[in-house]
C-alpha cells in the first residue's frame, strides 16, 4: 500500500497591508505560499505593535508591505529538510535570526548574525523572493517576520520554539520590546547593585529597562518622559523618580546631574531620537558613565556629541535585541517567566498551600 506525504499548499488569509508610506493599513485577502527549504509557516496567534513598525511605515519606500515583527504563534507547516520544528510547535518570531555557524553567532560578544541579521529589502533570506501576494503581485515582508497577517512564513533561524504551556498572548512581548529592554540592562550595560539609572522614554522598552535595573539592584531609577500619565505606571515597573522635561526651566540633563551629584551611572535612550542620545550621554557621570541607545530614529540618523564627553570617560553603546542570542536565550527567558508565575500563584484553598 502506497502512502503519500501531505504537502503544504497556498493559504489565503487576511492581513493588514500597507500600500504606501503613511497610508492607512487595509485588511486584504492575501495568498501565503508554502514554506521553502529552511522555512516554516506560522499561524500568528498574538502580535504587538512596536514603534519601529510605525517608523518604517512612515518613512520607508518598499510597498505594498505587511508590517509587524513582534509575535507568537503555532507552526502550521514546515519546509523540506526542517528537523528543528514540527507542526503544532509554539514559537516566538525574532527579527534577527541565529544561524549558529557564522563568526558573529560563534562569538559570545555579539548577537548580530551575518546570515540572518536585519533584513531590510522585504524578501526572504533564502531566495530573495516574497511569500505573500495579492492577485499574483508580490507583497513585501518586514524584518523577516510580517506578523500583521493571520499566517506568515519565516526562516527557521528567525523562530524560537517555546514551552507549549507558556501563554502566547503574554510572551509575544519577548519577541522584541521586553527582551530589548531587559537585555540592555542585564547584558549590554550589566547594571551594578546600588547604581543610579536614568531612562529616557517609558514605553515598553523603557519600562523593561526599568524592570531589569530593579532586578539588578539599582538604588535609583529615574524615568524621563513628556507624558505625565506614565508616572504612576512607571513606578509599578521599578521607576523610583519621574521627570517631565516640560516641567523644568533648565535642560533635563542639567536637572539629572544636579539631583544625582554629577550624573547617573547608566543612561538609556529608548525613544528613537539621536538628539536624545547626546542628552543621555550628558546625563552620565564623568569617569565611568555609560549611555546605551536602543531606539530607532525616524529622522537624522547621525549622532553628534562633543568629544569632551568621551575624553572625560563616558561610553556610548548600542543595543540590538538586548544582546540576546535568540535561540540560545529566549527559551530560558520564557522558562524564567513560567517559574515566576508558578512561584507567585496563590493557592485556591488551604489544602493546596
Amino acid at each position: 500500500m502506497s502512502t503519500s506525504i501531505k504537502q503544504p499548499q497556498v493559504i489565503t488569509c487576511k492581513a493588514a497591508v500597507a500600500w504606501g508610506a503613511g497610508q492607512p493599513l487595509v485588511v486584504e485577502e492575501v495568498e501565503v505560499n508554502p514554506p521553502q527549504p529552511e522555512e516554516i509557516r506560522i499561524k500568528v496567534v498574538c502580535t504587538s505593535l512596536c514603534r519601529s513598525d510605525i517608523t518604517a511605515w512612515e518613512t520607508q519606500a518598499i510597498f505594498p508591505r505587511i508590517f509587524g515583527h513582534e509575535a507568537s504563534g503555532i507552526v502550521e507547516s514546515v519546509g523540506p529538510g526542517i528537523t528543528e520544528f514540527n507542526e503544532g510547535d509554539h514559537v516566538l518570531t525574532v527579527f534577527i535570526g541565529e544561524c549558529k555557524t557564522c563568526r558573529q553567532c560563534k562569538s559570545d560578544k555579539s548577537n548580530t548574525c551575518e546570515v540572518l541579521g536585519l533584513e531590510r529589502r522585504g524578501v526572504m533570506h533564502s531566495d530573495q523572493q516574497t511569500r505573500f501576494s495579492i492577485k499574483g503581485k508580490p507583497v513585501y515582508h518586514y524584518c523577516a517576520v510580517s506578523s500583521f497577517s493571520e499566517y506568515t512564513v519565516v526562516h527557521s533561524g528567525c523562530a524560537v520554539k517555546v514551552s507549549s504551556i507558556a501563554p502566547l498572548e503574554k510572551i509575544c512581548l519577548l519577541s522584541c520590546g521586553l527582551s530589548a529592554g531587559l537585555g540592555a540592562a542585564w547584558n549590554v550595560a550589566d547594571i551594578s547593585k546600588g547604581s543610579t539609572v536614568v531612562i529616557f522614554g517609558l514605553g515598553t522598552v523603557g519600562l523593561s529597562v526599568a524592570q531589569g535595573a530593579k532586578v539588578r539592584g539599582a538604588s535609583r531609577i529615574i524615568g524621563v518622559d513628556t507624558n505625565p500619565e506614565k508616572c504612576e505606571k512607571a513606578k509599578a515597573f521599578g521607576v523610583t523618580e519621574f521627570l517631565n522635561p516640560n516641567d523644568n526651566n533648565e535642560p533635563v540633563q542639567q536637572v539629572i546631574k544636579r539631583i544625582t551629584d554629577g550624573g547617573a551611572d547608566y543612561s538609556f535612550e529608548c525613544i528613537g531620537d539621536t538628539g536624545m542620545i547626546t542628552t543621555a550621554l550628558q546625563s552620565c557621570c564623568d569617569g565611568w558613565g555609560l549611555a546605551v541607545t536602543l531606539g530607532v530614529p525616524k529622522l537624522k540618523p547621525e549622532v553628534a556629541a562633543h568629544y569632551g564627553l568621551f575624553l572625560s570617560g563616558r561610553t556610548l553603546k548600542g543595543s540590538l535585541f538586548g544582546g540576546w542570542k535568540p535561540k540560545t536565550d529566549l527559551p530560558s527567558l520564557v522558562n524564567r517567566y513560567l517559574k515566576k508565575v508558578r512561584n507567585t500563584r496563590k493557592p485556591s484553598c488551604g489544602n493546596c498551600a
Side-chain angles (χ1 to χ4, degrees):
M1 181 176 63
S2 62
T3 59
S4 60
I5 299 176
K6 182 181 177 182
Q7 298 296 325
Q9 303 297 313
V10 174
I11 286 178
T12 300
C13 69
K14 294 185 182 298
V17 179
W19 290 96
Q23 296 182 16
L25 305 187
V26 181
V27 177
E28 305 274 15
E29 293 273 330
V30 300
E31 293 82 43
V32 186
N33 286 342
Q36 300 304 301
E38 300 185 315
E39 297 173 1
I40 61 175
R41 189 161 59 188
I42 299 170
K43 179 181 180 180
V44 178
V45 174
C46 293
T47 184
S48 304
L49 176 63
C50 179
R51 181 69 201 183
S52 301
D53 294 305
I54 299 175
T55 297
W57 165 66
E58 292 177 334
T59 62
Q60 293 188 4
I62 302 174
F63 294 97
R65 200 169 200 178
I66 298 173
F67 285 101
H69 65 278
E70 189 173 31
S72 58
I74 300 172
V75 176
E76 177 270 337
S77 57
V78 301
I82 292 291
T83 58
E84 181 184 356
F85 297 97
N86 295 295
E87 293 180 16
D89 284 343
H90 288 205
V91 294
L92 288 172
T93 61
V94 286
F95 63 91
I96 55 168
E98 187 178 353
C99 73
K100 294 190 175 182
T101 59
C102 72
R103 178 187 180 191
Q104 298 286 328
C105 284
K106 289 181 178 179
S107 171
D108 59 1
K109 300 177 181 179
S110 171
N111 67 339
T112 308
C113 178
E114 294 175 349
V115 179
L116 301 174
L118 283 174
E119 206 299 305
R120 302 178 186 274
R121 290 177 290 182
V123 294
M124 298 298 295
H125 289 93
S126 55
D127 60 5
Q128 304 301 296
Q129 302 295 316
T130 71
R131 300 291 177 264
F132 296 108
S133 62
I134 295 179
K135 297 179 180 179
K137 295 184 178 180
V139 177
Y140 294 97
H141 301 245
Y142 176 66
C143 276
V145 176
S146 291
S147 58
F148 293 173
S149 174
E150 292 179 315
Y151 289 86
T152 189
V153 176
V154 303
H155 192 285
S156 61
C158 294
V160 179
K161 187 189 302 186
V162 297
S163 170
S164 61
I165 65 173
L168 293 175
E169 74 278 7
K170 294 182 179 179
I171 65 168
C172 70
L173 290 173
L174 285 169
S175 182
C176 180
L178 184 54
S179 295
L182 284 175
W186 293 352
N187 303 326
V188 179
D190 193 15
I191 290 174
S192 57
K193 186 176 182 180
S195 58
T196 298
V197 174
V198 60
I199 304 165
F200 294 89
L202 297 175
T204 300
V205 174
L207 294 178
S208 298
V209 171
Q211 282 191 313
K214 180 181 179 180
V215 172
R216 279 300 180 93
S219 60
R220 297 179 70 182
I221 304 173
I222 304 168
V224 181
D225 204 291
T226 57
N227 185 350
E229 294 181 1
K230 293 184 178 181
C231 178
E232 293 305 316
K233 294 179 181 179
K235 290 180 180 179
F237 284 84
V239 170
T240 59
E241 301 160 64
F242 180 83
L243 288 178
N244 186 336
N246 296 332
D247 294 339
N248 295 279
N249 295 324
E250 58 183 327
V252 67
Q253 61 268 34
Q254 292 182 15
V255 175
I256 292 169
K257 289 179 72 70
R258 174 167 50 78
I259 66 175
T260 59
D261 192 25
D265 299 297
Y266 306 93
S267 67
F268 295 84
E269 185 280 318
C270 306
I271 299 173
D273 184 327
T274 50
M276 292 306 299
I277 295 176
T278 305
T279 301
L281 265 171
Q282 294 169 335
S283 301
C284 288
C285 65
D286 291 341
W288 61 82
L290 172 64
V292 179
T293 176
L294 295 82
V296 178
K298 180 166 61 174
L299 300 170
K300 191 185 175 184
E302 297 82 12
V303 177
H306 194 281
Y307 78 98
L309 293 173
F310 300 104
L311 284 183
S312 64
R314 293 174 177 85
T315 301
L316 173 64
K317 297 184 73 173
S319 176
L320 183 64
F321 198 59
W324 303 109
K325 289 184 180 291
K327 288 185 176 293
T328 305
D329 297 322
L330 280 191
S332 63
L333 280 178
V334 172
N335 290 336
R336 286 186 66 168
Y337 165 77
L338 292 173
K339 182 178 179 180
K340 182 177 181 180
V341 170
R342 286 195 296 267
N343 290 340
T344 56
R345 185 177 294 149
K346 294 181 179 180
S348 58
C349 68
N351 292 330
C352 297

